[in-house]
Amino acid sequence: MVQKIAYQGEPGANSDLACREMFPDAESVPCASFEDAFELLSTGAVELGMIPIENSIAGRVADIHALLPQSKLQIVGEYFLPIRFDLMGVPGSSIEEATEVHSHIHALGQCRRIIREAGLKPVIAGDTAGSAREVREWNDPRKLSLAPPLAAELYGLEVLASGVEDDPSNTTRFVVLTQERPLPTKQELPGPAITSFVFRVRNVPSALYKALGGFATNGVNMTRLESYMVGNEFAATMFITDVEGHPEDPRLRRALEELEFFTTEVRILGVYAADAYRAEHAENS
């Protein structure tokens, strides 16, 4: 049976590309919203989900920090995708004759240079690949789309300029989700591990400082720490965190044990193999 993987967006979106690259033999299932993708996962209609969680330029992806802990789903992998945008239009169109460019608001913001140089009016669309589909349907050479290269192939558009993103280092980190299952042992993972978890500190002075102290004293590298409000309570703050290592590692085990003293809740979201991008990026930095 072919494995199914859900993503938010239309065919040709960056999330679709991440699915195809990481799981080339799986069937990608597009969803209108993150909530729809989570629902398919929760009901077992699909086995996996590919969800963007943070971008090197735009920061965290809205709502995911709140949706993920509530979902009861588990992170089983990660994938770093370099973000590339092409300027495309219907066959026979040209940059000189075009007047508008359509795309998601983040894509428009990440391709300001080409928009300015071409004198195009930016028009916000709900999705990058969706804007490519609309440009194809309108069949108007004055309207162009900023979308991933895959969208031009899927919707029969002509690429007028390739790699037009302002920052070539632009990268999105995705996490692979599935239904809850036993965490993998250290021996079951191929190489370095990443552990993701959420926690809530006790309402005492310097609680966060004390909670994080165990990671510092045990030499555990924390690669992500973000806070978010729980419900409508300004005083109820959760933290979502990624650290290098497996809970079976003595240093991380001690750090997590110390964390328990200063928190009211700790929940592991997943333990999974670190993407090779991390080691490559560390070598080049």
Side-chain angles (χ1 to χ4, degrees):
M1 182 180 294
V2 177
Q3 199 172 40
K4 295 182 179 181
I5 180 167
Y7 68 92
Q8 186 277 325
E10 297 197 28
N14 282 309
S15 294
D16 182 17
L17 182 58
C19 292
R20 294 171 184 241
E21 291 187 0
M22 191 172 186
F23 300 97
D25 297 326
E27 177 187 344
S28 299
V29 180
C31 298
S33 67
F34 290 124
E35 288 85 352
D36 290 342
F38 278 58
E39 179 66 18
L40 289 181
L41 273 166
S42 298
T43 59
V46 299
E47 293 79 16
L48 300 172
M50 181 72 74
I51 302 296
I53 196 166
E54 56 186 328
N55 177 266
S56 60
I57 294 177
R60 74 182 181 191
V61 177
D63 298 333
I64 298 303
H65 62 286
L67 288 172
L68 182 55
Q70 298 172 358
S71 68
K72 305 301 182 182
L73 298 173
Q74 184 175 322
I75 302 175
V76 293
E78 65 175 358
Y79 190 72
F80 288 81
L81 178 72
I83 302 302
R84 301 290 176 262
F85 291 113
D86 288 353
L87 187 63
M88 56 192 73
V90 295
S93 60
S94 67
I95 297 177
E96 291 74 21
E97 295 180 359
T99 59
E100 297 178 357
V101 59
H102 298 248
S103 196
H104 188 273
I105 186 171
H106 286 170
L108 294 172
Q110 294 167 15
C111 301
R112 289 190 178 96
R113 184 172 57 250
I114 186 69
I115 296 174
R116 182 177 62 253
E117 292 176 351
L120 299 171
K121 176 186 176 182
V123 181
I124 297 173
D127 181 73
T128 54
S131 73
R133 174 184 53 78
E134 290 175 335
V135 164
R136 174 74 269 190
E137 292 173 350
W138 292 328
N139 197 31
D140 185 343
R142 296 171 299 175
K143 298 179 179 180
L144 306 181
S145 167
L146 277 169
L150 178 60
E153 176 184 339
L154 292 179
Y155 300 111
L157 296 179
E158 184 176 327
V159 175
L160 306 180
S162 300
V164 298
E165 62 280 352
D166 295 338
D167 188 345
S169 69
N170 186 6
T171 303
T172 293
R173 175 181 175 238
F174 292 81
V175 290
V176 182
L177 304 179
T178 191
Q179 291 186 343
E180 281 190 312
R181 60 192 189 192
L183 296 173
T185 65
K186 187 174 181 179
Q187 289 70 29
E188 291 174 328
L189 293 180
I194 300 295
T195 298
S196 297
F197 58 95
V198 291
F199 67 91
R200 186 188 306 207
V201 296
R202 295 183 183 277
N203 189 21
V204 296
S206 304
L208 179 59
Y209 174 80
K210 295 174 181 176
L212 299 181
F215 296 94
T217 56
N218 285 286
V220 176
N221 187 28
M222 185 172 290
T223 61
R224 180 177 183 231
L225 174 67
E226 293 187 15
S227 64
Y228 63 97
M229 297 297 177
V230 179
N232 298 318
E233 301 179 33
F234 285 100
T237 303
M238 295 287 289
F239 294 86
I240 186 167
T241 308
D242 298 328
V243 296
E244 293 180 351
H246 192 285
E248 295 175 5
D249 296 336
R251 293 188 301 175
L252 181 53
R253 186 180 67 248
R254 290 193 297 268
L256 290 172
E257 289 173 352
E258 189 168 336
L259 179 66
E260 296 277 359
F261 287 106
F262 305 103
T263 58
T264 58
E265 179 184 354
V266 178
R267 183 158 62 88
I268 292 181
L269 300 177
V271 179
Y272 47 95
D275 189 281
Y277 174 91
R278 291 182 181 271
E280 296 168 1
H281 185 69
E283 292 174 359
N284 296 328
S285 61

